[in-house]
Amino acid sequence: MESNNYNDPSVIGGCSVPVRVNRKSKPDPTVVDLRGIRIGSSDIVIIAGPCAVENNEQLSETVKAVKTAGAAMLRGGAFKPRSSPYNFQGLGEEGVRMMRDISRESGLPFVTEVMDTRQVGFVAEYADMLQIGSRNMHNYPLLKEVGMLRKPVLLKRGMMATIEEFLLSAEYILSQGNDQVVLCERGIRTFEPTTRNTLDLSAVPMLKHLSHLPVIVDPSHGTGHRWMVPAMAKAAVAAGCDGLIIEVHYKPEEALCDGHQSLSPEEFSKLMTDLGKVAHAVGREILLPQPSVL
Amino acid sequence: MESNNYNDPSVIGGCSVPVRVNRKSKPDPTVVDLRGIRIGSSDIVIIAGPCAVENNEQLSETVKAVKTAGAAMLRGGAFKPRSSPYNFQGLGEEGVRMMRDISRESGLPFVTEVMDTRQVGFVAEYADMLQIGSRNMHNYPLLKEVGMLRKPVLLKRGMMATIEEFLLSAEYILSQGNDQVVLCERGIRTFEPTTRNTLDLSAVPMLKHLSHLPVIVDPSHGTGHRWMVPAMAKAAVAAGCDGLIIEVHYKPEEALCDGHQSLSPEEFSKLMTDLGKVAHAVGREILLPQPSVL
Amino acid sequence: MESNNYNDPSVIGGCSVPVRVNRKSKPDPTVVDLRGIRIGSSDIVIIAGPCAVENNEQLSETVKAVKTAGAAMLRGGAFKPRSSPYNFQGLGEEGVRMMRDISRESGLPFVTEVMDTRQVGFVAEYADMLQIGSRNMHNYPLLKEVGMLRKPVLLKRGMMATIEEFLLSAEYILSQGNDQVVLCERGIRTFEPTTRNTLDLSAVPMLKHLSHLPVIVDPSHGTGHRWMVPAMAKAAVAAGCDGLIIEVHYKPEEALCDGHQSLSPEEFSKLMTDLGKVAHAVGREILLPQPSVL
Amino acid sequence: MESNNYNDPSVIGGCSVPVRVNRKSKPDPTVVDLRGIRIGSSDIVIIAGPCAVENNEQLSETVKAVKTAGAAMLRGGAFKPRSSPYNFQGLGEEGVRMMRDISRESGLPFVTEVMDTRQVGFVAEYADMLQIGSRNMHNYPLLKEVGMLRKPVLLKRGMMATIEEFLLSAEYILSQGNDQVVLCERGIRTFEPTTRNTLDLSAVPMLKHLSHLPVIVDPSHGTGHRWMVPAMAKAAVAAGCDGLIIEVHYKPEEALCDGHQSLSPEEFSKLMTDLGKVAHAVGREILLPQPSVL
C-alpha cells in the first residue's frame, strides 16, 4: 500500500513561507486602510478605472461611471510597462497628478504603478497606494524602496512566479518595515493561448492559508477578454478574495491600452450588482463608499 | 498608436473549434440525460464518491453519506490509471459490478473510468456514463471506441491540453456519432508546486463560449488538497459550470488512493449547503435527486 | 549564510527513480539489439524515414535516400495519432506491411508506432521495435501490453511528462518482464510558441544519470522546423545521446503529415556528415550499417 | 488532406520581430567588441568566474584558474538579485571595484550585473559590459537606462519570456541608440523539477535566425547542477552559440551562492579542452586570449 500523506505538511509542495508574511507569526489577518477603505476586512473592496490615464475626458467620464456603480477605489496607470518600446508608454508624472486630482474630486482613494526606484518618492507624495506590477515582482531594489515607505503597496504576482516567490517578494517589503501590503493574483503564464494569462484562483485560498496579508484578484489581465471578466470576478469572490481590481473604460473600443479587456460602464454596473449577490452567498458584502465620501 | 483589437476574433488565441462541438453549428446547449439527471440544464449536478472502489463497507458508507447530503450522481474508479506500477491499480471488473449494485440500491446513476479499448464493451454494459481520464484525452482509439457507443461520456481535459486540443478530442467522440459528451476541467500542469494541478476555471466560460457541450469541474484533482476543495467548488459554480465531480471518502485518512484530497462526509454535507447559496446567487440551483429516486 | 546544498541529493528535485530502470540497481548501461544494430553502445544510431507511410513510391524513394546517407534503421508511421479526427490517420495494417517489406529489401530494421492494445499482437509480428508515442506515455494498459512482449520498445516522453513520470512509464514495461526499452526525448510543452515543442536536451544527461536505459532524441518533433533540425541534432549528440530519430521525406513539400519538419534527402545527407564530426569530438562514432547488411 | 504549411512563415508561431534587432534590417551579424574580445564572430567566447564576488582570495584564485584554462573574459556578481531578502545580497560597489582590479591585473574584460537604474552610472564606469539579469528582462526603465550608454550589454532571457518578448526587450536597448547587445539563453521555467530551469537550446538557432545579435548560453543557471554543465555546454556550442558564461569557484563547496552549479577549476579546465573539439567539429574555434593579453 502506498504512503497516505493525509496529514503530511509536505503536500503544500515544500513551500517555505518567510517569517514576516507567515500567518503563523501573526494569526490575525492584516487590514490595509486607505482613508477608511479597509482591504482585508469582511467587506470586499472593488478597485476600478482605466488601464492607463489618457486625457481629462476619458478619466473623468470613467471615474464618474465607476463611482456611480459603487467602486470603492480607483486605479489608473501613468507609468506603463509595455512589452514594446513603440507602444504608448503612459503620461508619466502628469498622469499621476491627474489621478490625484480626480481622486480628490471623487473622494475615492487611488492606486497607481511605479516602475523605477527613482519614481517612488514622487509617486508616494501623490498616490494612496503604490502598485508593483507583475513584471517587477522580482525587482528587489524597487521592493526595498517601497518597503521604506509607510504607504500601502499593491504587489502583483509575477506572471511566472510561484506562490513561494510571491511571498518572498512581499517579505522584501515587510523586511524594510512596511507591513501595509496587499497581494494580487493576476494570472500566470501557461501553455494555453486562448486567454492572455491563466487566472490562478487557487492562489486565493492558498495565499490566505499561508499568509495574513489581504489578497485581491485582477480578472482583467487574468483573462484578457472583457466578456470573461464577469464570470471570473464572481468566481474570485466565491473563492474568498478580499477585493478585485477591474479595468473599466468609458469607451473601451477607443482605449490606448487593453481596450479588449476593459468593461464598459454598463457592463461594470451590471457586474457590481451580481457581485453583491455572490458576496452575500459566501457571507460577505461588497464595500460601499462611505456616505461622508459620497 | 498600437492596434486596438477590441473586436478581433483572433483574441481567442487563434483557437480553431471543430465543427460538431462548435456552438455555431448548434446554438442550443446540449443536455446529457442520465436516467433523469440532466447535465447542461439550468440545474447544477453534483457527482460524488470515492476516488477508487475499495471494498463493500467503504463503498456503501460513502454512498450513503453523499446521497444523504444531496449528491445527484455517483463516481467511483475500478480501473485506476496510476503513475507507478506498484500502486493500487483498482478492483477492475469486480469494482465496476460493485458500483452497478450500489447504484441500483441508491437509485443514483454512476460514472466510472475506462482506460483500454478492450474494457469499453464490459463497462458500457454496467455504467451510466464512461469516463475518459486526463491521461487518455489524447488516446484516439479509445475516443473512437466510446464514440461508437450510445452512452454518455465524461471527457476530462488532459493535464497539459489546450482548449483547442480538448475540443478536438471531444470531436473524435462526436465524429463517431455519439454526441452525449460532458467536458470536465480538472486542473492543468504549470510550474506551481503547492497545488497538485492548477485548476483553470477560466476554461469554464471559454468552453461554454466556444461549444454547446456541458462543462463540469473536478476541484479534488484540480487542487490536491481537501481544505481547498470547498473554495474552488464554490468558485467553479460562480464561474458558470454545469456540475462538479468531488471525491468523498467515509474515512479519508484510510483511503487507498487520494485520501489527502477527499472530503469527509461532514465536509461534503457542509459544502452542499454552501453550494446551494452560490448557485442561487448566479441564478441557478443545485439539482436534487428526484423524489421517485429517493 | 544560506544553506549550501552542494552534495544534497535533493537537488535532483526529489525525483524518485523506480527500481528496475534505476542505474543503481544495474550500473552497466542497457544495450538494445535490433538485428545487430545496438542502441546504447558507444556508437550512435540514426533512425530515419517518413513521418507516415503514404505509398510505395514515397516509401521506397525515402528509404533509398536515408540508406545511402548512412541511416542504420528506419522509422515510418502506419497508425498515426492525430489531434483532429479529420486529418490523415495513416494506412494502418497495410502501412505496417509496407514497412516490413521495405525493411527486408533494404536490410535495415524498423520501428513503428502502436496506439491500441488490440494492435500490439499484429504489429509485434512485423516490426523490429514498437514505438509508444508521446500521447500514450501515460497509457498504462498499452505499456503493460508491450511489457509482455520480448521485443524492443521505443518509449517517447509525454509532452507534459516529468522525468520521474517518464521513468515510471518505462518501469511499467520492465515490470512485465521486458527490459528492451529505449527512452526518447521529443520536446516538452512550454509557453513558447515559435517552436512546436521545447526540446529538452538536459533530459539526456539527466536520464543517463538516473537510469541504465539508452536515450535517443527526436529533433523533428522537438522543434517542428526543418531548418532547426540540424542544429538540434548536433546538440543532442554533443549532449550525449545514444541515437537520433529524424523525419525525412523525399518530397517534404508534398508530405501528408509533418512536411514542415521533415528533411529532404540532400539535407539529411549533409547532416549525416556533420553528425559524424560532432560524434567524433565527443569520443563516439555514428553507427554505420554493417557490410553484410549493405 | 490537411493544409501543408511547408513554406508558411506563420510556423514561426506568429512571432513579430521588432525592427532594430531584426535580421532583415541588418543581414550582417553584429559583433560586440570588448577590448579586442569579439562576441559574434566565428570564434566562441568563454566567460567564466564566480557567481558572486565574495572576497579577495576567492576572486583571485578563481580568476587565476579560469585564465589559465583559457577563458577570454570574466564574470562576477556584486549586486545580486536573490529570491529571499535574508540571503547574501552581494558586496555591492566594493564588489564592482574588486572586479575592476582583478580585470586589470589579469588583462581579461569583465561583465557584472546591474539591477537598479541608480547603479547604472557607477557600474558603467568600472565594467566592460553590464548584465541585465533574467529577473529584470521586463524592467523597461533599466533597459532604457543601459540603452543610453555606449557600452556593451549582456541581456539574459527572462525565465518565462517568449522569444518575441526577449527580442522586444533587446529592442528597448537598441531603440535608445545602444546596439552593443548580446543575448543570453539561461533556461526557462517549466513543470520539470529535476533541473533548476529547462535550458532551451532551440533558442540559439531561433534567435540567430530572427536577429543579427550574438547569442550566448549560460549552462550553469540553465541546469542548476554542476555535473550537467559540461554536457550542456558542449551541446550549446554544437547548436551554434557564440559564447558561454559559466560559473566557476575555486572551492565550490564553500561558495556563498550557487555552489552546487559551479565548476571547480579542474572541471572547468577539462571542459575547455572538450569544448575546443566540439567547436572545431562545427567549423569554429574557442577564442583564446590574445598574446598581448597574456
Side-chain angles (χ1 to χ4, degrees):
Chain A
M1 181 180 142
E2 77 191 298
S3 150
N4 187 323
N5 55 0
Y6 185 71
N7 287 307
D8 184 349
S10 75
V11 294
I12 315 284
C15 178
S16 169
V17 182
V19 59
R20 286 181 175 84
V21 303
N22 200 321
R23 176 171 284 275
K24 286 180 192 159
S25 65
K26 178 176 178 297
D28 291 336
T30 288
V31 175
V32 173
D33 193 310
L34 300 108
R35 297 200 262 143
I37 302 298
R38 292 160 47 84
I39 308 180
S41 74
S42 65
D43 288 355
I44 294 167
V45 174
I46 310 299
I47 307 170
C51 174
V53 178
E54 297 170 12
N55 56 58
N56 280 317
E57 181 188 323
Q58 172 245 17
L59 190 58
S60 67
E61 291 299 317
T62 303
V63 167
K64 197 185 300 176
V66 303
K67 182 176 173 179
T68 302
M73 195 173 150
L74 302 177
R75 62 150 291 152
F79 296 102
K80 297 297 302 173
R82 304 305 298 277
S83 300
S84 166
Y86 309 124
N87 283 347
F88 173 60
Q89 305 273 314
L91 298 184
E93 299 193 357
E94 178 58 18
V96 176
R97 284 191 202 96
M98 288 165 70
M99 282 301 295
R100 191 263 322 259
D101 292 347
I102 199 87
S103 167
R104 284 189 180 165
E105 204 183 302
S106 64
L108 304 184
F110 79 101
V111 59
T112 197
E113 181 162 356
V114 65
M115 294 163 64
D116 188 334
T117 49
R118 298 172 302 191
Q119 299 159 351
V120 170
F122 172 82
V123 177
E125 255 184 71
Y126 288 81
D128 297 290
M129 188 181 214
L130 279 71
Q131 175 178 312
I132 304 292
S134 186
R135 288 172 177 81
N136 283 307
M137 195 208 82
H138 291 290
N139 185 338
Y140 306 121
L142 187 61
L143 296 173
K144 288 181 181 171
E145 198 76 15
V146 299
M148 287 183 286
L149 299 174
R150 291 301 167 267
K151 269 241 146 138
V153 175
L154 178 58
L155 178 64
K156 291 190 129 186
R157 181 181 182 183
M159 69 182 83
M160 60 192 101
T162 61
I163 293 288
E164 180 171 348
E165 289 171 340
F166 190 15
L167 292 173
L168 280 163
S169 285
E171 186 82 2
Y172 259 100
I173 302 173
L174 272 71
S175 73
Q176 303 298 311
N178 186 354
D179 59 2
Q180 297 289 293
V181 175
V182 174
L183 303 172
C184 179
E185 161 62 30
R186 47 77 72 202
I188 56 173
R189 179 160 284 179
T190 69
F191 56 84
E192 174 57 45
T194 58
T195 41
R196 180 170 179 178
N197 294 284
T198 296
L199 190 64
D200 177 14
L201 288 183
S202 61
V204 175
M206 183 58 80
L207 289 168
K208 306 265 321 161
H209 181 72
L210 299 176
S211 174
H212 52 81
L213 296 174
V215 178
I216 73 170
V217 170
D218 175 349
S220 307
H221 286 88
T223 62
H225 301 298
R226 61 205 292 260
W227 60 268
M228 291 182 79
V229 169
M232 299 314 286
K234 286 182 276 185
V237 168
C241 72
D242 298 307
L244 294 167
I245 181 164
I246 298 176
E247 289 187 348
V248 180
H249 195 286
Y250 83 128
K251 293 181 180 171
E253 68 281 9
E254 294 179 10
L256 292 180
C257 164
D258 285 350
H260 53 278
Q261 71 191 30
S262 297
L263 298 186
S264 68
E266 296 69 34
E267 291 165 330
F268 180 66
S269 179
K270 164 85 166 64
L271 175 57
M272 286 298 288
T273 306
D274 293 347
L275 288 175
K277 295 175 192 167
V278 178
H280 193 70
V282 294
R284 301 177 78 171
E285 301 299 331
I286 301 297
L287 180 72
L288 291 178
Q290 297 161 316
S292 66
V293 167
L294 293 165
Chain B
M1 180 180 143
E2 76 191 297
S3 150
N4 187 324
N5 55 359
Y6 184 71
N7 287 308
D8 183 349
S10 74
V11 295
I12 315 286
C15 177
S16 170
V17 182
V19 59
R20 286 182 176 82
V21 302
N22 200 322
R23 177 172 285 275
K24 286 180 191 160
S25 64
K26 178 175 177 299
D28 290 336
T30 288
V31 174
V32 173
D33 193 310
L34 299 108
R35 297 200 262 143
I37 302 298
R38 292 160 47 85
I39 308 181
S41 74
S42 65
D43 288 355
I44 294 167
V45 174
I46 310 299
I47 306 169
C51 173
V53 178
E54 298 170 11
N55 56 58
N56 280 317
E57 180 189 324
Q58 172 244 17
L59 190 58
S60 67
E61 291 299 318
T62 302
V63 167
K64 196 185 302 175
V66 303
K67 182 175 173 178
T68 303
M73 196 174 151
L74 301 177
R75 63 149 292 151
F79 297 102
K80 297 297 303 173
R82 304 305 299 275
S83 300
S84 166
Y86 309 124
N87 284 346
F88 173 59
Q89 306 273 314
L91 298 184
E93 299 193 357
E94 178 59 19
V96 176
R97 284 192 201 95
M98 289 165 70
M99 281 301 295
R100 191 262 322 261
D101 292 347
I102 200 86
S103 166
R104 284 189 181 164
E105 204 182 304
S106 65
L108 305 184
F110 79 101
V111 59
T112 198
E113 181 162 357
V114 66
M115 293 163 64
D116 188 333
T117 50
R118 298 173 300 190
Q119 300 159 350
V120 169
F122 173 81
V123 177
E125 254 184 73
Y126 289 81
D128 298 289
M129 189 181 214
L130 280 72
Q131 175 179 312
I132 305 292
S134 187
R135 289 171 177 81
N136 283 307
M137 195 207 81
H138 292 290
N139 184 338
Y140 306 121
L142 187 60
L143 295 174
K144 287 181 183 172
E145 197 76 14
V146 299
M148 286 183 287
L149 299 174
R150 292 300 168 267
K151 268 241 148 142
V153 176
L154 177 58
L155 178 64
K156 291 191 129 185
R157 182 181 182 183
M159 69 182 84
M160 216 154 174
T162 61
I163 292 288
E164 180 171 349
E165 289 171 340
F166 190 15
L167 291 173
L168 279 164
S169 285
E171 186 82 1
Y172 258 101
I173 302 172
L174 271 72
S175 73
Q176 303 299 310
N178 186 355
D179 58 2
Q180 297 289 292
V181 175
V182 174
L183 304 172
C184 180
E185 160 64 29
R186 47 76 73 203
I188 56 173
R189 178 161 284 181
T190 69
F191 56 82
E192 174 57 44
T194 58
T195 41
R196 181 170 178 177
N197 294 285
T198 296
L199 190 64
D200 177 14
L201 288 184
S202 61
V204 176
M206 182 59 80
L207 289 167
K208 305 274 307 172
H209 181 73
L210 299 175
S211 175
H212 51 82
L213 296 174
V215 179
I216 72 169
V217 171
D218 176 348
S220 306
H221 286 88
T223 62
H225 301 298
R226 62 205 291 260
W227 59 269
M228 290 183 79
V229 169
M232 298 314 286
K234 286 183 275 185
V237 168
C241 73
D242 298 308
L244 294 167
I245 181 164
I246 299 176
E247 290 187 348
V248 181
H249 195 286
Y250 82 129
K251 293 181 181 173
E253 67 281 11
E254 293 179 10
L256 291 181
C257 166
D258 286 350
H260 53 279
Q261 70 191 30
S262 297
L263 297 187
S264 68
E266 296 69 34
E267 290 165 330
F268 179 67
S269 179
K270 164 83 166 64
L271 175 58
M272 287 298 288
T273 307
D274 292 347
L275 288 175
K277 295 176 192 167
V278 178
H280 193 70
V282 295
R284 301 176 78 170
E285 301 299 333
I286 301 296
L287 180 73
L288 292 179
Q290 298 161 318
S292 66
V293 167
L294 295 164
Chain C
M1 181 181 143
E2 77 190 296
S3 150
N4 188 323
N5 55 1
Y6 185 72
N7 287 309
D8 183 350
S10 75
V11 294
I12 315 285
C15 179
S16 169
V17 182
V19 59
R20 286 182 176 82
V21 303
N22 200 323
R23 176 172 285 275
K24 286 180 191 160
S25 65
K26 178 175 177 299
D28 289 336
T30 288
V31 174
V32 174
D33 193 311
L34 299 108
R35 296 200 261 143
I37 302 297
R38 292 159 48 85
I39 308 180
S41 75
S42 65
D43 288 354
I44 295 167
V45 174
I46 310 299
I47 306 170
C51 173
V53 177
E54 298 171 11
N55 57 59
N56 280 317
E57 181 189 325
Q58 173 244 16
L59 190 57
S60 68
E61 291 298 318
T62 303
V63 167
K64 196 186 303 175
V66 303
K67 181 174 174 179
T68 303
M73 195 174 152
L74 301 177
R75 62 150 291 150
F79 296 102
K80 297 297 302 173
R82 305 304 299 276
S83 300
S84 167
Y86 309 125
N87 284 347
F88 173 61
Q89 306 274 313
L91 297 184
E93 299 193 356
E94 177 59 18
V96 176
R97 283 191 202 96
M98 288 165 70
M99 282 301 296
R100 192 261 324 257
D101 292 347
I102 199 86
S103 166
R104 284 190 181 164
E105 203 183 304
S106 65
L108 305 183
F110 79 102
V111 60
T112 198
E113 182 162 355
V114 65
M115 294 163 64
D116 188 334
T117 50
R118 298 172 302 191
Q119 299 159 351
V120 169
F122 173 81
V123 177
E125 255 184 71
Y126 288 81
D128 298 289
M129 188 182 214
L130 280 71
Q131 176 179 313
I132 303 293
S134 186
R135 288 171 178 81
N136 283 307
M137 194 208 81
H138 291 290
N139 185 337
Y140 306 122
L142 188 60
L143 295 174
K144 287 181 182 171
E145 198 75 15
V146 300
M148 286 182 288
L149 299 174
R150 292 300 168 267
K151 268 238 149 140
V153 176
L154 177 59
L155 178 64
K156 292 190 128 186
R157 182 181 183 183
M159 69 181 83
M160 60 191 101
T162 62
I163 292 287
E164 180 171 349
E165 289 172 340
F166 190 15
L167 291 173
L168 280 163
S169 285
E171 185 82 3
Y172 259 101
I173 303 172
L174 271 71
S175 73
Q176 302 299 310
N178 186 354
D179 59 1
Q180 297 288 294
V181 175
V182 174
L183 304 172
C184 180
E185 159 64 28
R186 48 75 73 203
I188 57 173
R189 179 160 282 180
T190 69
F191 57 83
E192 174 58 45
T194 57
T195 42
R196 181 171 179 175
N197 295 284
T198 296
L199 189 65
D200 178 14
L201 289 184
S202 61
V204 175
M206 183 59 80
L207 289 167
K208 306 266 319 163
H209 181 73
L210 299 175
S211 174
H212 52 82
L213 295 173
V215 179
I216 73 169
V217 171
D218 176 348
S220 306
H221 286 88
T223 62
H225 302 296
R226 61 206 290 261
W227 59 268
M228 289 183 79
V229 169
M232 299 313 287
K234 286 182 275 184
V237 168
C241 73
D242 298 307
L244 294 167
I245 181 164
I246 298 176
E247 290 187 350
V248 180
H249 194 287
Y250 83 129
K251 293 182 181 172
E253 67 280 10
E254 292 179 11
L256 291 179
C257 166
D258 287 349
H260 54 279
Q261 71 192 29
S262 297
L263 297 187
S264 69
E266 296 70 32
E267 290 165 331
F268 180 66
S269 179
K270 164 84 166 64
L271 175 57
M272 287 297 289
T273 306
D274 292 348
L275 288 175
K277 295 177 192 166
V278 178
H280 192 70
V282 294
R284 300 176 79 170
E285 302 299 331
I286 301 297
L287 180 72
L288 291 179
Q290 296 160 317
S292 65
V293 167
L294 293 165
Chain D
M1 182 181 141
E2 75 190 300
S3 150
N4 187 323
N5 54 2
Y6 185 70
N7 288 308
D8 183 349
S10 75
V11 293
I12 316 285
C15 179
S16 169
V17 182
V19 58
R20 286 182 176 83
V21 303
N22 200 322
R23 176 171 284 276
K24 285 180 192 159
S25 65
K26 179 175 177 297
D28 290 336
T30 289
V31 175
V32 173
D33 192 311
L34 300 108
R35 296 200 260 143
I37 303 298
R38 292 160 47 86
I39 308 180
S41 74
S42 64
D43 288 354
I44 294 167
V45 174
I46 310 300
I47 307 170
C51 174
V53 178
E54 298 170 10
N55 56 58
N56 279 318
E57 181 189 324
Q58 172 244 19
L59 191 58
S60 67
E61 291 299 317
T62 303
V63 167
K64 197 184 301 175
V66 303
K67 181 174 173 179
T68 303
M73 197 173 149
L74 301 177
R75 64 150 291 151
F79 296 103
K80 297 298 302 173
R82 305 304 299 275
S83 300
S84 166
Y86 310 124
N87 283 347
F88 173 59
Q89 305 274 314
L91 298 183
E93 298 193 358
E94 178 58 20
V96 177
R97 283 191 203 96
M98 288 165 71
M99 282 300 295
R100 192 259 325 257
D101 292 347
I102 199 87
S103 167
R104 285 191 181 163
E105 204 183 302
S106 65
L108 304 184
F110 79 102
V111 59
T112 198
E113 181 162 356
V114 64
M115 293 164 63
D116 188 333
T117 49
R118 297 173 302 191
Q119 299 159 351
V120 170
F122 173 82
V123 177
E125 255 184 70
Y126 289 80
D128 297 290
M129 189 181 214
L130 280 70
Q131 176 179 313
I132 304 292
S134 187
R135 288 173 178 80
N136 283 307
M137 195 208 81
H138 291 291
N139 184 338
Y140 306 122
L142 187 60
L143 296 173
K144 287 181 182 172
E145 198 75 15
V146 299
M148 287 183 286
L149 299 174
R150 293 299 167 268
K151 269 239 148 136
V153 175
L154 178 59
L155 178 65
K156 292 190 129 186
R157 182 181 182 182
M159 70 183 83
M160 217 155 175
T162 62
I163 293 288
E164 180 171 349
E165 289 172 339
F166 190 15
L167 292 173
L168 279 163
S169 285
E171 186 82 3
Y172 259 101
I173 302 173
L174 271 71
S175 74
Q176 302 299 311
N178 186 353
D179 59 1
Q180 297 289 294
V181 175
V182 174
L183 303 172
C184 179
E185 160 63 30
R186 48 76 72 201
I188 57 173
R189 178 162 284 180
T190 70
F191 55 83
E192 174 58 44
T194 57
T195 41
R196 179 170 179 176
N197 295 285
T198 296
L199 190 64
D200 178 13
L201 287 184
S202 61
V204 175
M206 183 59 80
L207 289 168
K208 306 271 313 168
H209 181 72
L210 299 175
S211 174
H212 51 82
L213 295 174
V215 178
I216 73 170
V217 170
D218 176 349
S220 307
H221 286 88
T223 61
H225 301 297
R226 61 206 290 262
W227 60 268
M228 291 183 77
V229 169
M232 299 313 286
K234 286 182 275 185
V237 168
C241 72
D242 298 307
L244 294 167
I245 181 165
I246 299 175
E247 289 186 350
V248 180
H249 194 287
Y250 83 129
K251 292 182 181 171
E253 68 280 10
E254 293 179 10
L256 291 180
C257 166
D258 285 351
H260 54 278
Q261 70 191 29
S262 297
L263 297 187
S264 68
E266 296 69 34
E267 290 166 330
F268 180 66
S269 179
K270 165 83 165 62
L271 176 57
M272 287 297 289
T273 306
D274 292 348
L275 289 175
K277 295 176 192 165
V278 178
H280 193 70
V282 295
R284 301 176 78 171
E285 301 299 331
I286 301 297
L287 180 72
L288 291 179
Q290 297 160 318
S292 65
V293 167
L294 293 163

